[in-house]
Amino acid sequence: MTALLLIILGGLCAVAYGIVTINDVMKRDAGTQRMQEIAGAISEGAQAYLKRQYATIGIVGIVLFVALAYFLGLKVAIGFLIGAVLSGAAGFIGMNVSVRANVRTAQAASTSLGGGLEVAFKSGAVTGMLVAGLALLGVALYYTYLTRGAGLAPSSREVIDALVALGFGASLISIFARLGGGIFTKGADVGGDLVGKVEAGIPEDDPRNPATIADNVGDNVGDCAGMAADLFETYAVTVVATMVLAAIFFAGNGPVLESMMLYPLAIGAACIVTSIAGTFAVRLGANQSIMGALYKGLITAGVLSIVAIAIVNYTLLGGFSTSFTTTTGVTFTSAGLLGCAVIGLAITALIVVITEYYTGTNFRPVKSIATSSVTGHGTNVIQGLAISLESTALPAIVIVAGIITTYALAGLFGIAIAVTAMLALAGFIVALDAFGPVTDNAGGIAEMAGLPPDVRKSTDALDAVGNTTKAVTKGYAIGSAGLGALVLFAAYTSDLNYFIANASDTQYRFFKGVSVDFSLSNPYVVVGLLLGGLIPYLFGGIAMTAVGRAAGAVVEEVRRQFREKPGIMEGRDRPDYGRAVDMLTRAAIKEMIVPSLLPVLSPIVLFFVIQAIAGRSQAFATVGAMLLGVIITGLYVAISMTSGGGAWDNAKKYIEDGHYGGKGSDAHKAAVTGDTVGDPYKDTAGPAVNPAIKITNIIALLLLAILAHS
Amino acid sequence: MTALLLIILGGLCAVAYGIVTINDVMKRDAGTQRMQEIAGAISEGAQAYLKRQYATIGIVGIVLFVALAYFLGLKVAIGFLIGAVLSGAAGFIGMNVSVRANVRTAQAASTSLGGGLEVAFKSGAVTGMLVAGLALLGVALYYTYLTRGAGLAPSSREVIDALVALGFGASLISIFARLGGGIFTKGADVGGDLVGKVEAGIPEDDPRNPATIADNVGDNVGDCAGMAADLFETYAVTVVATMVLAAIFFAGNGPVLESMMLYPLAIGAACIVTSIAGTFAVRLGANQSIMGALYKGLITAGVLSIVAIAIVNYTLLGGFSTSFTTTTGVTFTSAGLLGCAVIGLAITALIVVITEYYTGTNFRPVKSIATSSVTGHGTNVIQGLAISLESTALPAIVIVAGIITTYALAGLFGIAIAVTAMLALAGFIVALDAFGPVTDNAGGIAEMAGLPPDVRKSTDALDAVGNTTKAVTKGYAIGSAGLGALVLFAAYTSDLNYFIANASDTQYRFFKGVSVDFSLSNPYVVVGLLLGGLIPYLFGGIAMTAVGRAAGAVVEEVRRQFREKPGIMEGRDRPDYGRAVDMLTRAAIKEMIVPSLLPVLSPIVLFFVIQAIAGRSQAFATVGAMLLGVIITGLYVAISMTSGGGAWDNAKKYIEDGHYGGKGSDAHKAAVTGDTVGDPYKDTAGPAVNPAIKITNIIALLLLAILAHS
C-alpha cells in the first residue's frame, strides 16, 4: 500500500505543479486593452468549439458507456468513463491555460526573448504535467479502488477489462479531438492563408482577415487540446497495456504480481517528479539558443529519471539482482528491467535529436527544401516529399534497435517497460510541444495588436523552434506506438490464449475449438497485415480531403465578407470573426465522424466478415495481423507526414529569415506552397494516425472481452 | 514433349507478331524532313543512353555472373545471364520500335485520330508481345535444356536455382532500367518545364528549349525501355516462382509434377495468342472514344483467355474434374485451378477499371484536383496527395479478395496460378502502356516541327489516355506483386524447410539445428516487417531526391545556354540538345546505383547482422518477415504514387481542355505544379518499387541457395 500511496503522491505533485504554475502565469502582465480583446475573442472561439466537440463526442460516449455496461458490466463502463473524462479534462485545462498564456507571452516577448520563452514554456509545462499526472492518477486510483475497494484480484479479468476500457475512453476522446481539432486548425490556416496572403496580399495574422481569429483558435483546439488528448491516451494505453502484460506474465505469483503491476505506475510517478525538476533547468543561455535551453531541461529530466527509476527498482523490486520468471518461462533480473527503462529514455533522446535534424533550420533537410524553392513550387514540393520519405529511416532503425535490445534483456515485458519509460517523460515532452501553439498565438496577437516588429521577431524565433518540438512530440508518440505494437499484440494473443485455454460449455463458449495460426505462411495473416496497412492510408486520405474542403469553405466565407463589406480591406469595417469560427466548428465536427469510425469499426467488421468466410480461428488470426499491419504502415505514414510537414514549415521560415531573397521573393512563394501542403500533413492526418493505431488495438481487446461474455 | 513444343510455339507466335508488325509500322509515312531530323535526334540520344546504361549494368552483371558461377555452378550463372540479356533485349527492341513509331504516329495523326491510335498502339503491341514472348521463351527453353538436354529432374535443386537465377537476372536489369530511365526522363521533364514553361515562358516541347530533345529521349528510355524491363521481370519472376512452387508441392509425383511445372508456361503461351487476337479488336468506334477502343481489345483478350486456359486445363491436366494433392496435403481440382485463373483475369480487369476511375479525366478524383487548383498551388497538391492516399483502398481490397478466394479454391498454388493468369495478359497490358510514350513523343515532334495545332490536339487526346494506361500497367504490376508476395514467401519458406529437413554433416550443414518461428509473436518477425516496410520509403525518398538533383542540373544547363547564346530564344541559334542529353545520361547512371543496391543488399546485411545478434534461426525469420514487410508498405507506396501522379497529370490536361480558365490561367499554373510533383512520383519512385520488392525476394532465395552450398 505504501507504494500505491507514493504513486498517487507523484500524480498529485503534477497537479500541484499545475496549480502553482497557472497562478504564476496568470499573474503576468496581460498587455494592452487591444491585446486582451484579441485574446478574449480567441478564447471565446476555442471554448465554443470545445464545448460543441465534447457535446458530440458525449453522445457517442453515452452510447458506448451503455453498451459496455450491458456487455461487460458497470465497472468496465466506469473505467471507460474515467478515461474519457480525464482525457477531455487534460485537453480542456491545457487549452484554457494556453488561451490565457498567449497574450502574456506576447507581452513578455516585448521585453526579452528569455521572458517570452519562460511564460510560453511554463504554460506548456502545465499542460504537460496535467497530461501525465491525470493519466497516472486515473489509472492508479481506479486500480486501487478495484483491487482494494472492490477487493478484486489484480490479475482478474474484471480488473484487466476495466483498465483496457479506461484506455478505450482515452482513445475515443483522442481520435475525435486530434481529427476535429486538426481539421479546424488546418482548415483555418490553409483557407486563411490562401485568401489572405495569396489573393488579398495581406500578411499572416492581419486583423483585416476574417479568418485570422479562427486560425488562432485552431492552434489552441488542435495543437494544444488535441495534442493533450492524444498524449494522455498514449500514456494511459501504454501503462494499462504494461499492467495487463504484468497481470498475465505473473498471474498467481502473489507478491511479485502486485509489484510488477505497480512497477509501470511507479516509473510514471518517479518521472513526473524528474520532469518537474527538468522544467526548472530550461533557461536561455548566453548564446540565446532556444533549442539549447530546452535541451538543458530535457537532459536534466532524463538523467534524473535514470536515477529515479533505479531507486524504484531498488525499493519496489527488492534490489537490482532479484530475478523474475514469467508464466511463459522468460527469466530476467531487476537490473535487466532497469536497462530496458534506460533504453526507453535513450530512444526518446534519439528521436528528439533525429527530429531536430530533419525539421530544424540548421541542417541539410530543411536547407535542401529551401534551396529547391528557388526553382519553383514543384521542386519545393518534390524535395519536401523526398525528405518526408527519407525521414522515416533513422527513427525506424532506432525503434528496431530498441525492440531487439530490450527483448534480449527481458523479453516482451522488457519492451513494455521501455515504452513505459519513454512515456513516463511525457510530462516534459508535452511541455516542449504545448509551448508551440502559445508562441504561435503570441505572434498572431502581436501582429493584430500592432506591437513593434521586434516582438514578432522574438515570437517567430520561438515559433520556429515550436515547429521542431511539435514534430518531436508526434515522432515520440508514434515511436512509442511502434515499440508498443508488440506489447499490444502480446496483450491480444495472451488474452486470446487465455480464453481458448479456459473455454468450456459453461464459460468462454465462443472460444471452444478455436486454434489460431499467427504464422506468416497463413494467408489470412497476410490479409490482415494488408488490410491493417490500408487503414493509415485511407484514414490519411479522408483527413486530407476534409482539410481541403474546410479550407475551401473558409475561402468562400472570407471572399464573401470582403465583397459585402469593402470597408474591411481599408480598415474601416470590422470583419465578422465569429462567422468563420462558427463555420469551421460545424465543418470540423461533421468531418471528424467518418474517419474516426474507420479504425473503430475496421477490426469488428473484419472479424465478422472473415468469420463468415473462413471460420472463427482465421478471423482471430486476421484481426491479430491487422493490429500489426496498422502499425507497420502507420509508423511510416505518420513519421513521414509529421517530419515532412515540420521541414516544409521551417524551410519557409528559413527563407523568411532572409535567405534566397527572403519574404516576397519567388522562392518564398514556393515555400509558402510547401508549408500549405505540409499543414494538413503534419497537423491533421499525420498525428491522428497514432490514436488510430491505438484504438484499433484497444477495440480488438474489447472485442475479445465481449465475445468471451457472449 | 508435345506440351513443351506447343508452349515454345506460343512464344514464337509473339516474336512473329513482333516482326510482322514492325515491318507494318516501318512502312508508314515518316513525315517531313524536319520531323525525321527531330526523330533522328531523339533516337540518337536514346541509343546513347541505353548503351551507357547497359555498359554500367554489364559491369555489375559480370561480377554477379562470376560470383554465381563460383557459388552455385555454371548452370545457375547461365540462367542469370539469360534473364539479364533477354530483359535488356526486350527493352532495347521496344525502345527502337518506339523511336521510329513516334514520328509515324505524328504523321498519321495529321490525317485522323484513328490513324494515330493505330500506329501508336501497334508499336506498343510489338513491345508488349516481345516482353511476354521473350520471357516465356527464355524460361521454357532453358527449362527444356535443363530437364531434357542436361537430364536433370524437374524438381531438383539445380533446376530450381537456375530458374530463380533467371528471375534474378531479369530483376537486376529491371531495377537499374526503371530507376535510371526514371531519373533521366523525369529530370528532363521537370527541369525542362521549370526553365522553359515557368522561366522563359515558352510552351512545352518548344524547339528553342535545349532540354526538349532530352525530354523526348526520356519518354523512350524511361516509360518504354524501363517499363518493358520491369514487366519482363514481373512476368519471368511470377512464372518462375509458380514453377518452383509446383516443384515443391508435387515433388516425387512423376507425371503430375511435370504437368504442373508446365502449367504456368502453358497459360502464358495460350494468353499470348489471345493477346494477339485482342490487338486486332482495338478499333476506334463512332464515338471516337480512345479508352473505349482499348477496352474492346482488353475484353476480347480477356474473354478469349478464359476459353484458352480452359482448353489448357482440359488437355494438360486431363479434364476439369481431375483432383490433385500437394505434398503439404492440400487437395484441389483442375476446375478449381481454372477458377483461380479466371479470378486472376478478373483482378486485372478490376485494376484497370479502378485505375481509370482514379486517373481518368471523366471522374471525381481528377476533377476534384482540377477544382482545387482554382484556390492555388497548395490546395492542388493537398487534394492530389489526398487522392493518392485514397486510391490505394480499392486495389488493396481487390487483392485481398483475390487472396482469400483463390486460397479457398486451391491453396497457395491457387494464388500462384491467379498471379500467373494475371501476368499472362502482360503482352496486351504492356501494349496499352507502351503506346503512351509513343504518343507523347508524337506530340513533341508535332510541336517542334510546327505541324498544325489540330495534330497536337489529336496527340494530346491520345496522351491523356496514355496517362491512364501507364498508371494501369503500374497498378497491375504492383497488384500482381501484392498477390504474388505470398507465392514468393512460400517459395522462401519451402526452400528453407527443405534445407532444414535435409541438413546433415555432409550437406546443407549451415541449416543444422535451425528452427524458424514465423509467428507474429516473435519480435524478430516484427523487426523484419518493420525493416522491410522501410525499404520502399527510403528507396522512394532517394529516388525523389535524385530526380530533383537531375532536374536542377538541367535547369542550370539550359540557363547557361540561354545566357551564352541569346540567339536561341529569338530562333536564330540552334540550342545544343546533345549537352542536356549527355548530362542527364551521366546523372541518371550515377544516381541509379545507390537506390538499386538498397533492396539488393538489405536482406543480405540484415541476415548477417541478426545472425550475429540472435543466431541463425532468428536471422532466417527476420529476413522472411522482411520479404512481406517490403510488400505491405510497397503496395501502398507504389499505388499511391502511380495513381496520384496520373491523376495530377490528367487534372492539368482537364484544365488545358478549357475548364477553370484553361491554359495560362492561375488554375492551370497550380495544375502544372501538381503535375511536376506527380512526375517523379508516378514515373520514377512509384514504378521502381515493384522491381525493388521482387529483387528483395529473389535475393533472399539466392541467399538460401548459397548458404546451402557453404
Side-chain angles (χ1 to χ4, degrees):
Chain A
M1 199 66 196
T2 329
L4 253 176
L5 280 178
L6 285 171
I7 288 164
I8 292 166
L9 202 64
L12 291 175
C13 275
V15 176
Y17 174 87
I19 295 171
V20 171
T21 313
I22 290 176
N23 279 327
D24 178 20
V25 170
M26 290 303 292
K27 262 186 274 170
R28 308 289 169 120
D29 183 359
T32 65
Q33 180 68 22
R34 173 86 186 114
M35 285 164 73
Q36 292 186 35
E37 254 177 57
I38 297 164
I42 295 172
S43 170
E44 201 181 297
Q47 308 272 12
Y49 173 76
L50 228 56
K51 208 177 281 175
R52 195 136 165 186
Q53 177 178 286
Y54 286 157
T56 309
I57 307 177
I59 298 169
V60 181
I62 289 170
V63 173
L64 287 170
F65 179 86
V66 172
L68 285 174
Y70 174 77
F71 284 120
L72 297 173
L74 202 61
K75 287 198 191 69
V76 173
I78 290 173
F80 167 78
L81 190 67
I82 293 174
V85 167
L86 288 182
S87 167
F92 186 76
I93 301 172
M95 190 209 69
N96 269 294
V97 178
S98 175
V99 295
R100 284 170 181 79
N102 52 10
V103 63
R104 290 168 172 84
T105 301
Q107 181 61 19
S110 64
T111 336
S112 73
L113 180 64
L117 172 64
E118 195 203 334
V119 178
F121 181 76
K122 277 197 171 167
S123 77
V126 172
T127 308
M129 294 313 152
L130 286 182
V131 162
L134 291 181
L136 184 71
L137 283 176
V139 178
L141 288 173
Y142 200 48
Y143 176 76
T144 310
Y145 164 73
L146 291 169
T147 55
R148 305 299 193 275
L152 297 166
S155 68
S156 68
R157 291 299 325 163
E158 263 184 294
V159 173
I160 292 177
D161 290 350
L163 290 178
V164 170
L166 194 153
F168 177 50
S171 286
L172 188 78
I173 296 289
S174 157
I175 194 153
F176 280 115
R178 259 298 188 198
L179 267 176
I183 294 168
F184 187 112
T185 181
K186 292 303 126 174
D189 194 354
V190 172
D193 278 5
L194 283 172
V195 77
K197 277 196 218 169
V198 182
E199 283 186 25
I202 52 178
E204 199 168 335
D205 297 320
D206 191 290
R208 289 171 293 177
N209 190 335
T212 190
I213 292 287
D215 185 10
N216 285 290
V217 168
D219 293 339
N220 291 298
V221 302
D223 298 347
C224 186
M227 180 273 301
D230 181 4
L231 267 289
F232 179 95
E233 180 253 13
T234 305
Y235 192 109
V237 169
T238 302
V239 169
V240 162
T242 309
M243 291 175 78
V244 169
L245 221 55
I248 294 161
F249 281 169
F250 302 99
N253 194 350
V256 170
L257 169 67
E258 175 81 359
S259 304
M260 282 301 178
M261 283 189 81
L262 291 182
Y263 184 49
L265 292 172
I267 291 176
C271 291
I272 282 178
V273 178
T274 59
S275 293
I276 293 175
T279 63
F280 292 106
V282 174
R283 225 172 276 274
L284 209 57
N287 62 357
Q288 295 281 305
S289 159
I290 303 165
M291 202 67 204
L294 299 178
Y295 267 125
K296 269 187 247 167
L298 180 65
I299 292 168
T300 306
V303 171
L304 291 179
S305 293
I306 297 177
V307 178
I309 297 174
I311 295 171
V312 167
N313 275 49
Y314 193 77
T315 51
L316 186 66
L317 304 185
F320 297 121
S321 51
T322 332
S323 172
F324 305 94
T325 304
T326 68
T327 47
T328 52
V330 179
T331 299
F332 49 80
T333 63
S334 165
L337 287 182
L338 179 60
C340 294
V342 173
I343 291 170
L345 296 171
I347 292 172
T348 304
L350 286 171
I351 286 181
V352 173
V353 173
I354 295 167
T355 312
E356 197 205 345
Y357 173 72
Y358 274 102
T359 61
T361 47
N362 299 325
F363 306 97
R364 176 189 60 85
V366 167
K367 284 183 182 167
S368 76
I369 298 175
T371 308
S372 67
S373 307
V374 175
T375 38
H377 301 264
T379 40
N380 167 290
V381 177
I382 289 175
Q383 186 59 23
L385 286 173
I387 293 296
S388 83
L389 293 167
E390 185 198 309
S391 68
T392 58
L394 291 177
I397 290 170
V398 166
I399 289 161
V400 161
I403 292 175
I404 290 177
T405 48
T406 53
Y407 184 74
L409 281 173
L412 276 174
F413 196 65
I415 300 179
I417 292 305
V419 196
T420 302
M422 256 185 103
L423 261 305
L425 272 189
F428 192 86
I429 301 284
V430 170
L432 291 183
D433 182 320
F435 110 105
V438 173
T439 56
D440 200 348
N441 256 245
I445 292 173
E447 186 82 33
M448 281 187 272
L451 296 189
D454 58 311
V455 179
R456 177 77 200 208
K457 224 184 135 192
S458 283
T459 59
D460 269 358
L462 290 168
D463 194 22
V465 173
N467 281 331
T468 294
T469 58
K470 272 162 63 180
V472 162
T473 320
K474 290 162 195 163
Y476 161 83
I478 190 72
S480 74
L483 200 61
L486 265 160
V487 178
L488 287 163
F489 182 73
Y492 176 82
T493 46
S494 306
D495 264 16
L496 189 57
N497 289 338
Y498 174 84
F499 291 131
I500 293 172
N502 295 292
S504 70
D505 282 335
T506 51
Q507 68 170 357
Y508 311 147
R509 260 180 306 144
F510 194 88
F511 296 83
K512 254 188 83 177
V514 168
S515 155
V516 184
D517 171 16
F518 280 118
S519 164
L520 293 178
S521 331
N522 178 0
Y524 283 94
V525 167
V526 176
V527 165
L529 288 170
L530 282 173
L531 289 178
L534 173 59
I535 292 177
Y537 271 82
L538 189 52
F539 183 81
I542 300 174
M544 297 278 286
T545 306
V547 171
R549 209 151 34 203
V554 169
V555 169
E556 299 298 327
E557 168 62 21
V558 172
R559 280 185 189 155
R560 190 191 59 79
Q561 291 202 23
F562 281 160
R563 203 171 49 237
E564 292 177 6
K565 289 196 201 168
I568 293 179
M569 276 300 285
E570 295 150 31
R572 285 184 294 109
D573 272 345
R574 230 189 106 147
D576 184 354
Y577 299 119
R579 282 288 301 255
V581 173
D582 257 16
M583 217 201 56
L584 275 165
T585 300
R586 267 174 288 125
I589 302 284
K590 201 183 92 192
E591 301 270 10
M592 78 181 177
I593 305 285
V594 172
S596 297
L597 291 181
L598 180 70
V600 174
L601 297 180
S602 292
I604 302 173
V605 171
L606 183 66
F607 179 83
F608 289 105
V609 169
I610 300 294
Q611 186 185 227
I613 295 173
R616 270 173 208 178
S617 300
Q618 292 291 31
F620 285 119
T622 317
V623 169
M626 174 180 251
L627 306 186
L628 282 179
V630 69
I631 185 74
I632 285 163
T633 64
L635 180 75
Y636 294 105
V637 169
I639 294 180
S640 68
M641 285 182 169
T642 55
S643 288
W648 262 313
D649 199 342
N650 274 344
K652 185 193 69 173
K653 287 224 155 49
Y654 183 76
I655 291 179
E656 285 173 352
D657 284 348
H659 300 91
Y660 301 114
K663 264 192 185 171
S665 64
D666 281 345
H668 184 241
K669 286 197 189 106
V672 169
T673 294
D675 177 35
T676 308
V677 173
D679 272 339
Y681 238 47
K682 74 178 198 298
D683 290 323
T684 313
V689 167
N690 179 37
I693 292 169
K694 297 277 168 53
I695 212 161
T696 313
N697 278 278
I698 291 275
I699 287 281
L701 288 177
L702 282 176
L703 180 67
L704 287 186
I706 291 174
L707 293 176
H709 277 71
S710 71
Chain B
M1 200 64 194
T2 330
L4 254 176
L5 280 178
L6 284 172
I7 288 165
I8 292 165
L9 202 63
L12 292 175
C13 275
V15 177
Y17 174 87
I19 295 169
V20 171
T21 313
I22 289 174
N23 279 327
D24 178 20
V25 170
M26 291 302 292
K27 264 186 275 172
R28 308 290 170 121
D29 182 0
T32 65
Q33 180 69 24
R34 173 83 186 118
M35 284 164 74
Q36 293 186 36
E37 254 178 60
I38 297 165
I42 296 172
S43 170
E44 200 182 298
Q47 308 272 13
Y49 173 76
L50 228 57
K51 209 178 280 176
R52 194 136 166 186
Q53 177 179 288
Y54 286 158
T56 309
I57 307 177
I59 299 170
V60 182
I62 289 169
V63 173
L64 287 171
F65 180 85
V66 173
L68 285 174
Y70 174 76
F71 283 119
L72 296 172
L74 201 60
K75 286 199 192 69
V76 173
I78 290 173
F80 166 77
L81 190 67
I82 293 173
V85 168
L86 287 182
S87 167
F92 186 76
I93 301 171
M95 191 210 68
N96 269 294
V97 178
S98 175
V99 295
R100 282 169 183 79
N102 52 11
V103 64
R104 290 167 172 86
T105 300
Q107 181 63 20
S110 64
T111 337
S112 73
L113 180 64
L117 172 64
E118 194 203 335
V119 178
F121 181 76
K122 278 197 168 166
S123 78
V126 172
T127 308
M129 294 313 152
L130 285 182
V131 162
L134 291 180
L136 183 71
L137 282 176
V139 177
L141 288 173
Y142 200 48
Y143 175 77
T144 309
Y145 164 74
L146 292 169
T147 55
R148 307 297 194 275
L152 297 167
S155 68
S156 67
R157 289 306 318 168
E158 264 184 293
V159 173
I160 291 178
D161 290 350
L163 290 179
V164 169
L166 194 154
F168 177 50
S171 286
L172 188 77
I173 296 288
S174 159
I175 194 154
F176 280 114
R178 259 300 188 196
L179 266 176
I183 294 168
F184 186 112
T185 180
K186 292 303 127 174
D189 194 354
V190 173
D193 278 4
L194 282 172
V195 78
K197 277 197 219 172
V198 183
E199 283 185 25
I202 53 178
E204 200 167 336
D205 297 320
D206 191 290
R208 288 171 293 178
N209 190 335
T212 190
I213 292 287
D215 184 10
N216 285 290
V217 168
D219 294 338
N220 291 296
V221 301
D223 297 347
C224 186
M227 179 274 300
D230 181 3
L231 269 288
F232 179 95
E233 180 254 12
T234 305
Y235 192 109
V237 169
T238 301
V239 169
V240 162
T242 308
M243 290 175 77
V244 169
L245 221 55
I248 294 161
F249 282 169
F250 301 99
N253 193 353
V256 170
L257 170 67
E258 175 82 357
S259 304
M260 282 301 178
M261 284 189 81
L262 291 182
Y263 184 49
L265 293 172
I267 291 177
C271 290
I272 282 178
V273 178
T274 59
S275 294
I276 293 175
T279 63
F280 292 105
V282 174
R283 224 173 277 272
L284 209 57
N287 61 359
Q288 296 280 306
S289 158
I290 304 165
M291 202 66 206
L294 299 177
Y295 266 124
K296 269 186 247 169
L298 180 64
I299 292 169
T300 307
V303 171
L304 290 179
S305 294
I306 297 177
V307 178
I309 298 175
I311 295 172
V312 167
N313 274 50
Y314 193 78
T315 51
L316 187 67
L317 304 185
F320 297 122
S321 51
T322 332
S323 171
F324 305 94
T325 303
T326 68
T327 48
T328 52
V330 179
T331 299
F332 49 81
T333 63
S334 166
L337 288 182
L338 179 59
C340 294
V342 173
I343 291 171
L345 295 172
I347 292 172
T348 304
L350 285 171
I351 286 182
V352 173
V353 173
I354 294 168
T355 312
E356 198 205 345
Y357 173 71
Y358 274 103
T359 61
T361 46
N362 299 324
F363 305 97
R364 175 189 60 88
V366 167
K367 284 184 183 166
S368 76
I369 298 176
T371 310
S372 67
S373 307
V374 176
T375 38
H377 302 265
T379 38
N380 168 291
V381 177
I382 290 175
Q383 186 59 22
L385 287 173
I387 293 296
S388 84
L389 293 167
E390 185 199 310
S391 69
T392 58
L394 290 177
I397 290 169
V398 166
I399 289 161
V400 161
I403 293 176
I404 291 177
T405 47
T406 53
Y407 184 73
L409 281 173
L412 275 173
F413 196 65
I415 300 178
I417 292 305
V419 196
T420 302
M422 254 186 105
L423 260 305
L425 272 190
F428 193 86
I429 300 284
V430 170
L432 290 184
D433 183 320
F435 111 106
V438 173
T439 56
D440 200 350
N441 256 244
I445 292 171
E447 186 82 33
M448 281 186 273
L451 296 191
D454 58 311
V455 179
R456 177 76 201 210
K457 225 183 136 193
S458 282
T459 60
D460 269 358
L462 290 168
D463 195 23
V465 173
N467 281 331
T468 293
T469 58
K470 272 163 64 180
V472 162
T473 319
K474 290 161 195 162
Y476 161 82
I478 190 74
S480 75
L483 201 61
L486 264 160
V487 179
L488 287 162
F489 182 74
Y492 176 82
T493 45
S494 304
D495 265 17
L496 190 57
N497 289 338
Y498 174 85
F499 292 131
I500 293 172
N502 295 292
S504 69
D505 283 336
T506 51
Q507 69 169 357
Y508 311 146
R509 260 182 306 144
F510 194 87
F511 296 84
K512 255 189 80 177
V514 168
S515 155
V516 184
D517 171 16
F518 280 118
S519 164
L520 293 178
S521 330
N522 178 1
Y524 283 94
V525 167
V526 176
V527 165
L529 287 170
L530 282 173
L531 290 178
L534 173 59
I535 293 177
Y537 271 82
L538 189 53
F539 183 81
I542 300 174
M544 297 278 285
T545 306
V547 171
R549 207 149 38 201
V554 170
V555 169
E556 299 298 326
E557 168 62 20
V558 173
R559 279 185 188 157
R560 189 190 61 77
Q561 291 201 25
F562 280 160
R563 200 171 50 237
E564 293 176 5
K565 290 195 200 170
I568 293 178
M569 274 301 285
E570 295 150 33
R572 286 184 294 109
D573 273 345
R574 229 188 105 143
D576 185 353
Y577 299 120
R579 280 288 300 256
V581 173
D582 257 17
M583 216 201 55
L584 274 165
T585 299
R586 266 176 288 123
I589 302 284
K590 201 182 92 191
E591 300 272 8
M592 77 180 179
I593 305 285
V594 172
S596 297
L597 291 180
L598 179 71
V600 174
L601 297 181
S602 292
I604 302 173
V605 171
L606 183 66
F607 179 84
F608 289 106
V609 169
I610 300 293
Q611 185 184 230
I613 294 173
R616 272 174 207 178
S617 300
Q618 292 292 29
F620 285 119
T622 317
V623 169
M626 175 181 251
L627 306 186
L628 282 179
V630 69
I631 184 75
I632 285 163
T633 64
L635 181 75
Y636 294 105
V637 169
I639 295 180
S640 68
M641 285 182 169
T642 54
S643 289
W648 260 314
D649 198 340
N650 274 344
K652 185 193 69 173
K653 287 224 156 46
Y654 183 75
I655 291 179
E656 287 174 352
D657 284 347
H659 300 90
Y660 301 115
K663 264 192 182 170
S665 64
D666 282 344
H668 184 239
K669 286 197 189 108
V672 169
T673 294
D675 177 35
T676 308
V677 173
D679 271 340
Y681 238 48
K682 74 177 196 299
D683 290 323
T684 313
V689 167
N690 178 37
I693 292 169
K694 297 277 169 54
I695 212 162
T696 312
N697 279 278
I698 291 275
I699 287 281
L701 288 177
L702 282 176
L703 181 67
L704 286 186
I706 291 174
L707 294 175
H709 278 72
S710 71

